[in-house]
Amino acid sequence: MSEAEASSSLPAAASNDIEQTLSALAPAEPSFKVYKPSDVTSAAPAPLPDDYFTPTAADLRAAQTQLAARTQALTNAPLKLKATREAEEKAKQDRWPTTTIRIRFTDRTQLEKTFPSSNKIRTVYAFVRELLREDVKPIKFVLYQPPKRDLKVSDPKVRDQTLVQLQLAPSSVLLLRFEDESLNMSTVPAPLIGTVLSQAIDMPKPIVIEDKPSSKAGSQKDSKSSLGPSVEKKIPKWFKAGLSSEIARRLDHALPNALPE
């Protein structure tokens, strides 16, 4: 390589090194989202009368029928081999390779992060604990789904299963409950570190799909009107024969009177 070529290649290599250094020093985008508490509060439901909770005879018969059908289905269900179950779980994981988990605090602040579906629930716990304040990190908490499904890491039926096996894929909302009840009040802000709270954004508004009036009836009416002039109405043959004879009879009666004498 000549000295000219070497001198021309040095600035290019140096510029590449500078670009890589700047990209490494640039602040990385957070791998999670933080949503501010929503200002919308659900209205309290109207109280129900006592007789609403008393089942009728029809309710009892329907419940009995449903229970019998479920028992029969479980009894007749074929036993699945371990290989079959594993194949079904793998198919689900291939269909949903990632799982989006949203953690909701009691003040309605929410954390959202996407995990590989092969991860276990302890990964979600570690993610939440990392973002808590230092004075709150030692306090134990439980992630759960209402009404009573606790996803405890200490539960062997939970800790050894993946997010797919826990039926959390492709997305789920988990509520958080601290052992310290003072942190579970709705008036207490989420005990997250300041840098996390500073990234909070407003919740995205739900997509509202407006019901458009059906144009089926109008299109049918228009199609009928457009076909009106061009479509010839069929007349039965017996009606044509009777109409022809009546016209001939009237012509025979009218012609002699119309001729001059």
Side-chain angles (χ1 to χ4, degrees):
M1 180 183 294
S2 63
E3 294 181 0
E5 292 177 351
S7 60
S8 62
S9 62
L10 286 176
S15 62
N16 292 335
D17 293 341
I18 293 174
E19 290 179 359
Q20 293 177 1
T21 303
L22 292 176
S23 61
L25 294 176
E29 295 184 359
S31 60
F32 59 90
K33 296 179 181 179
V34 190
Y35 294 112
K36 298 177 182 178
S38 173
D39 295 333
V40 179
T41 56
S42 57
L48 298 173
D50 294 338
D51 57 356
Y52 176 83
F53 300 97
T54 303
T56 62
D59 294 336
L60 294 176
R61 285 195 298 269
Q64 179 64 27
T65 303
Q66 184 178 4
L67 180 60
R70 184 178 179 184
T71 304
Q72 187 69 18
L74 292 175
T75 303
N76 298 334
L79 295 176
K80 294 182 180 180
L81 299 177
K82 182 180 180 181
T84 304
R85 294 195 303 269
E86 291 178 352
E88 291 179 354
E89 295 298 333
K90 186 178 183 303
K92 291 181 181 180
Q93 186 169 334
D94 293 342
R95 182 180 179 185
W96 300 308
T98 58
T99 300
T100 301
I101 301 294
R102 185 174 290 181
I103 311 298
R104 183 181 299 169
F105 290 80
T106 51
D107 71 333
R108 301 191 303 279
T109 298
Q110 300 189 52
L111 294 174
E112 182 181 294
K113 183 177 174 62
T114 300
F115 301 88
S117 295
S118 58
N119 282 9
K120 299 182 180 180
I121 195 65
R122 67 171 66 96
T123 308
V124 184
Y125 273 86
F127 159 70
V128 176
R129 189 172 297 281
E130 182 182 358
L131 303 183
L132 294 176
R133 296 197 315 257
E134 292 298 329
D135 60 319
V136 180
K137 284 184 179 181
I139 302 175
K140 294 183 179 180
F141 62 88
V142 175
L143 300 177
Y144 69 98
Q145 287 180 314
K148 294 182 179 180
R149 190 195 181 195
D150 289 350
L151 300 174
K152 296 181 178 180
V153 181
S154 58
D155 187 353
K157 296 181 180 179
V158 174
R159 69 185 178 195
D160 297 331
Q161 294 188 351
T162 63
L163 300 179
V164 171
Q165 294 171 335
L166 292 174
Q167 306 297 325
L168 298 178
S171 61
S172 296
V173 177
L174 302 180
L175 278 63
L176 185 145
R177 182 179 67 247
F178 288 98
E179 286 190 353
D180 186 352
E181 290 297 333
S182 63
L183 296 173
N184 296 328
M185 301 177 63
S186 59
T187 55
V188 176
L192 299 171
I193 56 180
T195 54
V196 173
L197 293 175
S198 63
Q199 303 174 15
I201 59 177
D202 293 330
M203 282 285 296
K205 295 182 179 180
I207 300 176
V208 179
I209 301 177
E210 297 181 357
D211 295 334
K212 296 182 179 180
S214 177
S215 59
K216 185 176 181 181
S219 60
Q220 290 180 351
K221 186 176 181 180
D222 295 341
S223 61
K224 289 181 180 179
S225 61
S226 61
L227 294 175
S230 59
V231 177
E232 181 183 359
K233 294 182 179 180
K234 294 183 179 181
I235 302 176
K237 293 181 179 180
W238 61 267
F239 185 78
K240 287 183 178 180
L243 183 61
S244 300
S245 59
E246 179 65 19
I247 294 175
R249 186 183 65 79
R250 293 189 179 185
L251 287 175
D252 293 340
H253 182 267
L255 283 176
N257 296 332
L259 294 176
E261 293 181 356

